[in-house]
């Protein structure tokens, strides 16, 4: 089994989850008789074991859906669907018992645990090609870093579980500080960058490469405030032809082409190994569940003539091919009148096409982070080349930018990455650097297509600094730790 499009049902060889408050994946009936003692014997098992780590990304309560709920805090979208509790995230009224705060915790630690299993056992395998061994270890290190990255962004502080903890089944640990998490992520990504190949053949398309490790390092350094180091890491991506921007922006979101050169990390899905990411984004009327609605402020951010607008957004009056018919978007299709279009695809025979990949990390993001770091270090104009690369790719007719400052950079990130779970993290980073006032931004009403406020009976949104920089740790896991795990301040 080579390609990660063929996902291994990976049960029976994981250790316990950290403080899990939900039914453990280990309670699922095993699909074989493998244990850590009789697995990890040869190259095929190493490859399949790594594929099993990727498998976690398909989970509905992880990148299949719940990770994207946190961007409801931003000014770009409102929550839809029938999860009333998601309004707590959007309105900053959540607490340590809120379901959305709890859901993803277990899957991040499941990913970490599977990665630890690989990092412990693969070095012991002798009958394995050296390049494949290195690649597998690099993949495990990257995927562990990604889990810690999401823990850092969401919770700020969380326990670090290492290979030594895995061997000793030491899962009840106090949380690490934000800087300790950053150091762990940095260490894992540096190791991954050393061990991973620069590119793959078509059979292995979708596995993480050196470019993914460098890119996540760039994002880490931006969050950390290490702007010089962000530029160094980011330049390794944007100067490498293997990670070039696609000629057409839309290719990143089409079934036939979504594993583009710039798609550095994405959830690999097919109709057989599907994630519910598309289901949650597509209109309920057309086979989806309608959980994320863009707002007028985001739609209006697109400049006249920017083709990314029609690629990203469904607006009233638009004609949409849903495979078996051409349908018209009507204002009542969502609470705002808008839907994300870039994440929706239908089969010609009808029904959603699950082969479109879930984007988690793109080269375009890194171009704009390098531009931001240069502007913040050297002033307006320093990031013009990177910003213009993104604008020229979008359309040759978009007006050029010159001497661009943070306002132009913020605009470009908002339209280029809309809906890709970056907006709230951008706002938080800029607020911490005193480049914006996130409190004022969150006091502004979210508007529907006709300019009316989107209201659902809740109080006005109130962001409290620094409390809402991070979410509380799940209360059930704090209780289960019997005092070892301590809640975040102000919760």
């Amino acid at each position: 089994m080579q390609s990660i499009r063929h996902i291994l049902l990976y049960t029976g060889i994981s250790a316990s989850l950290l403080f899990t408050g939900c039914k453990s994946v280990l309670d699922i009936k095993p699909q074989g008789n493998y244990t850590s003692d009789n697995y990890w014997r040869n190259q095929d098992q190493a490859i399949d074991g790594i594929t099993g780590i990727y498998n976690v990304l398909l989970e509905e309560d992880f990148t299949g859906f719940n990770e994207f709920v946190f961007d409801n805090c931003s000014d770009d979208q409102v929550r839809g669907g029938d999860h009333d509790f998601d309004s707590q995230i959007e309105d900053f009224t959540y607490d340590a018992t809120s379901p959305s705060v709890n859901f993803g915790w277990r899957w991040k630690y499941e990913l970490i645990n599977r990665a630890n299993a690989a990092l412990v056992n693969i070095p012991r395998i002798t009958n394995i090609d050296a390049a494949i061994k290195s690649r597998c270890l690099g993949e495990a290190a990257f995927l562990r870093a990604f889990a810690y990255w999401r823990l850092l962004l969401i919770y700020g502080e969380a326990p670090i579980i290492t290979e030594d903890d895995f061997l000793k089944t030491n899962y009840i640990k106090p949380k690490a500080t934000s800087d300790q998490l950053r150091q762990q992520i940095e260490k894992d990504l540096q190791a991954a960058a050393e061990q991973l190949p620069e590119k793959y053949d078509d059979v292995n398309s979708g596995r993480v490469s050196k470019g993914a490790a460098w890119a996540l390092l760039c994002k880490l350094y931006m969050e950390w405030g290490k702007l010089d180091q962000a530029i160094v890491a980011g330049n390794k991506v944007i100067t490498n032809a293997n990670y070039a921007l696609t000629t057409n922006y839309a290719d990143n979101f089409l079934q036939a082409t979504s594993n583009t050169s710039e798609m550095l990390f994405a959830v690999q899905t097919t109709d057989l190994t599907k994630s519910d990411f598309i289901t949650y984004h597509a209109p309920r009327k057309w086979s989806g569940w309608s959980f994320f609605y863009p707002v007028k402020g985001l739609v209006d951010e697109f400049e006249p003539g920017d083709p990314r607008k029609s690629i990203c957004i469904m607006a009233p009056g638009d004609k949409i091919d849903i495979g078996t018919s051409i349908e018209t978007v009507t204002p009542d299709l969502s609470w705002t009148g808008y839907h994300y279009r870039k994440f929706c695809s239908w089969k010609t025979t009808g029904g959603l096409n699950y082969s479109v990949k879930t984007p988690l990390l793109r080269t375009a993001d890194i171009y704009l982070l390098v531009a931001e770091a240069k502007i913040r270090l050297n002033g307006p104009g320093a990031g013009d080349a990177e910003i213009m690369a993104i604008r020229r790719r979008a359309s040759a007719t978009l007006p050029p930018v010159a001497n661009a400052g943070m306002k132009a950079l913020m605009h470009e990130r908002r339209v280029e990455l809309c809906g890709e779970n970056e907006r709230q993290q951008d706002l938080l980073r800029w607020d911490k650097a005193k480049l914006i006032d996130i409190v004022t931004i969150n006091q502004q009403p979210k508007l529907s297509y006709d300019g009316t406020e989107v209201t659902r009976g809740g109080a006005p949104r109130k962001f409290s600094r620094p409390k809402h920089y991070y979410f509380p740790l799940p209360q059930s896991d704090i209780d289960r730790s019997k005092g070892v795990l301590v809640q975040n301040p102000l919760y």
Side-chain angles (χ1 to χ4, degrees):
M1 183 183 297
Q2 294 285 323
S3 172
I4 63 172
R5 293 193 185 93
H6 301 93
I7 302 296
L8 173 70
L9 182 55
Y10 189 84
T11 60
I13 59 174
S14 295
S16 301
L17 298 177
L18 179 73
F19 310 143
T20 184
C22 304
K23 181 179 179 181
S24 170
V25 291
L26 301 180
D27 294 332
I28 301 171
K29 182 179 179 180
Q31 302 302 299
N33 296 315
Y34 290 123
T35 70
S36 293
D37 292 329
N38 63 18
Y39 199 75
W40 306 109
R41 297 293 181 86
N42 54 49
Q43 179 168 297
D44 286 344
Q45 289 183 346
I47 293 171
D48 286 351
I50 295 298
T51 301
I53 310 174
Y54 286 99
N55 188 42
V56 180
L57 300 173
L58 294 169
E59 289 296 332
E60 181 178 7
D61 286 342
F62 193 25
T63 51
F65 161 61
N66 196 67
E67 293 299 286
F68 290 80
V69 168
F70 296 110
D71 219 36
N72 289 346
C73 292
S74 80
D75 55 348
D76 273 3
Q77 66 189 32
V78 296
R79 66 100 184 169
D82 56 4
H83 291 181
D84 290 344
F85 50 79
D86 282 344
S87 64
Q88 299 170 1
I89 303 297
E90 183 176 353
D91 298 335
F92 305 108
T93 58
Y94 50 80
D95 60 28
T97 66
S98 297
S100 298
V101 169
N102 286 258
F103 285 154
W105 177 271
R106 71 179 293 225
W107 292 111
K108 295 175 183 65
Y109 279 104
E110 175 65 10
L111 192 152
I112 289 165
N113 196 62
R114 296 187 187 193
N116 281 334
L119 292 167
V120 165
N121 288 290
I122 289 177
R124 302 170 177 172
I125 301 175
T126 56
N127 54 336
I128 184 172
D129 178 82
I132 290 178
K133 188 174 191 176
S134 175
R135 184 196 83 190
C136 287
L137 291 171
E139 289 175 280
F142 175 90
L143 292 165
R144 185 170 71 175
F146 178 75
Y148 283 126
W149 168 246
R150 293 305 301 172
L151 286 166
L152 171 66
L153 292 182
I154 295 168
Y155 304 103
E157 300 179 339
I160 293 175
I161 308 299
T162 65
E163 297 96 318
D164 187 59
D165 295 314
F166 175 87
L167 287 168
K168 296 176 180 176
T169 62
N170 178 29
Y171 297 107
I172 300 179
K173 295 184 67 178
K175 63 182 182 179
T177 66
S178 295
D179 269 351
Q180 288 170 331
L181 277 174
R182 294 179 183 113
Q183 291 161 9
Q184 179 65 48
I185 296 165
E186 179 184 43
K187 178 182 176 182
D188 279 347
L189 291 176
Q190 288 173 341
E194 287 291 323
Q195 295 167 309
L196 289 168
E198 283 197 13
K199 63 179 182 179
Y200 292 91
D201 55 22
D202 289 343
V203 173
N204 287 289
S205 176
R207 293 184 180 275
V208 291
S209 65
K210 287 184 184 295
W214 292 330
L216 195 52
L217 266 173
C218 176
K219 292 177 75 68
L220 170 68
Y221 289 138
M222 288 299 294
E223 188 276 339
W224 208 344
K226 298 186 176 186
L227 304 184
D228 282 329
Q229 289 176 256
I231 293 171
V232 172
N235 277 335
K236 291 180 180 180
V237 176
I238 67 180
T239 61
N240 191 314
N242 291 311
Y243 317 122
L245 297 172
T246 60
T247 302
N248 300 306
Y249 176 77
D251 286 349
N252 293 299
F253 314 106
L254 298 176
Q255 179 271 332
T257 56
S258 53
N259 269 333
T260 65
S261 56
E262 77 170 273
M263 194 66 75
L264 302 171
F265 184 37
V267 182
Q268 301 296 306
T269 52
T270 67
D271 274 344
L272 295 177
T273 56
K274 70 181 184 180
S275 159
D276 280 321
F277 177 78
I278 291 177
T279 317
Y280 276 104
H281 279 84
R284 185 173 294 270
K285 186 178 180 180
W286 302 331
S287 304
W289 291 340
S290 290
F291 265 73
F292 301 103
Y293 300 143
V295 298
K296 190 174 188 294
L298 170 59
V299 178
D300 289 348
E301 185 75 20
F302 289 90
E303 300 163 65
D306 189 338
R308 289 174 293 189
K309 180 177 180 179
S310 61
I311 294 167
C312 292
I313 303 293
M314 296 184 203
D318 286 352
K319 303 295 183 181
I320 306 297
D321 183 354
I322 64 167
T324 55
S325 62
I326 305 296
E327 299 291 338
T328 301
V329 177
T330 55
D332 62 354
L333 204 61
S334 86
W335 293 342
T336 66
Y338 300 113
H339 261 283
Y340 288 114
R341 189 174 190 169
K342 67 197 293 187
F343 304 133
C344 298
S345 180
W346 290 267
K347 293 178 289 189
T348 56
T349 54
L352 293 171
N353 185 340
Y354 288 97
S355 295
V356 176
K357 311 303 180 260
T358 304
L360 299 178
L361 187 56
R362 288 199 292 122
T363 300
D365 182 4
I366 308 309
Y367 267 88
L368 295 174
L369 288 177
V370 169
E372 177 184 333
K374 288 183 174 181
I375 292 168
R376 289 171 60 181
L377 285 172
N378 302 310
D384 283 1
E386 290 79 15
I387 295 174
M388 278 306 301
I390 300 302
R391 290 177 68 79
R392 279 195 300 267
R393 189 273 294 276
S395 172
T397 63
L398 282 176
V401 298
N403 206 35
M406 283 301 299
K407 181 178 180 181
L409 182 281
M410 291 174 182
H411 160 81
E412 208 62 41
R413 284 191 65 81
R414 193 176 188 189
V415 296
E416 172 70 24
L417 302 169
C418 85
E420 295 183 41
N421 208 22
E422 295 294 332
R423 177 63 174 177
Q424 181 65 6
Q425 292 307 319
D426 282 348
L427 295 176
L428 291 170
R429 181 176 70 257
W430 297 331
D431 186 75
K432 292 172 187 175
K434 297 181 170 55
L435 298 170
I436 63 168
D437 180 3
I438 197 171
V439 175
T440 300
I441 289 173
N442 280 298
Q443 287 173 343
Q444 302 304 308
K446 295 183 179 183
L447 302 179
S448 63
Y449 79 102
D450 60 0
T452 57
E453 184 174 353
V454 182
T455 58
R456 294 181 300 281
R461 293 179 355 119
K462 183 175 176 58
F463 185 98
S464 177
R465 185 192 294 115
K467 176 180 179 179
H468 292 134
Y469 282 156
Y470 299 111
F471 289 83
L473 275 59
Q475 187 62 47
S476 58
D477 291 273
I478 290 174
D479 294 343
R480 189 165 284 104
S481 77
K482 300 187 183 304
V484 174
L485 195 58
V486 178
Q487 185 56 271
N488 282 339
L490 306 177
Y491 287 103

